[in-house]
Amino acid sequence: MLVLGLVVGILAPRLAKELAPFIFPMIVFLLFLSTLRVDVLRAFPAWADVPGYLGITLMMQVALPMGAIGLLAVMGALTSILGIGMVLVLAAAPLTGSPGLTLMVGGDPAPALRQLIIGTMLLPLTVLPVFWVMPVFGSPAVVAIAAAKLLGVIAVAGGLGLILRRCFSFFQSFQGERAVEGLITVVMAVVVVGLMSAVGPALLTASPELWRTLAVVFGLNFGAQITIFLGVTRFGRAEAAPALAVIGGNRNLALFLGALPASTASDLLLFIGCYQVPMYVTPLVMAPLMRLLKRRMSDMPS
């Protein structure tokens, strides 16, 4: 379903263009479905584990993007679309579908789910220093408004999903959870069609910008996943390595579309569309690669 959405988005540019204005509402709907699918209060990590998840969130959503901002500023690339896209990827919360992706690569989805909850809840706060130093946002008032928009979207979508799950027992049943999972898959396959609205025309014209962007997003996504998987496994947390790798490379970048200036959001569509490719093929690429890396690491002398 996910790969089919990618293909349709590329081969049907007119349909992709028609769906483009609905990208942000569909992303919000996915956030709603995610809280409808899972009892967030029960899935919330134990209080003793919260500092660990909080530390990972701060590292991924604050330290990494701030480091990238410094590096890109030195290179003079901070105001480029590629630079803005890279920083926003690193600043974003884990992808709402990351627990499902973790299952597909053969890992335990629980750490991904808990990290998703913590990362999404803290996103309006963690983006403040990132937005503050990003030239695209401008004045502090604009930064505050952008963060407030994110807070409102997360509170309304997440809160509504939580309330409906608690009020209707069907969503707590096995059948209800599977029904919501199926709907999430369908919406993800539809939203990616709209996200590919800038990729199809760029592919047809053989745009050099397309290939540069694809190279950057593949390196950013799979580079992060491989580095995190190897690092976490090396430090004795092999059971959590697939989940942390998946959330490290796959972030909910499209959620920023409602907070960005309209012109910047439009310019970023090619980057966001290209970013969907490694994201949606993560199970096909990372599942066998993780098994291979795990075997090789187990064969190495201690």
Side-chain angles (χ1 to χ4, degrees), residues 80-199:
S80 68
I81 292 301
L82 284 179
I84 294 170
M86 291 172 66
V87 170
L88 291 179
V89 165
L90 296 174
L95 183 71
T96 51
S98 54
L101 291 180
T102 303
L103 273 174
M104 293 180 197
V105 301
D108 178 7
L113 174 60
R114 292 167 187 153
Q115 199 64 58
L116 166 64
I117 293 170
I118 297 289
T120 304
M121 287 176 60
L122 293 180
L123 182 63
L125 294 177
T126 60
V127 297
L128 282 174
V130 179
F131 283 5
W132 188 277
V133 297
M134 285 288 286
V136 67
F137 285 98
S139 68
V142 176
V143 172
I145 291 171
K149 285 181 180 178
L150 284 174
L151 177 61
V153 166
I154 293 170
V156 172
L160 184 58
L162 183 62
I163 291 170
L164 287 179
R165 180 178 174 85
R166 287 303 178 96
C167 291
F168 297 95
S169 59
F170 170 74
F171 295 116
Q172 303 174 35
S173 66
F174 178 84
Q175 293 84 357
E177 290 181 348
R178 293 301 174 271
V180 176
E181 284 176 1
L183 185 55
I184 288 173
T185 304
V186 172
V187 175
M188 286 182 70
V190 173
V191 73
V192 78
V193 176
L195 287 168
M196 302 301 284
S197 59
V199 176

Side-chain angles (χ1 to χ4, degrees), residues 201-211:
L203 185 62
L204 293 175
T205 59
S207 168
E209 183 183 3
L210 170 67
W211 305 116

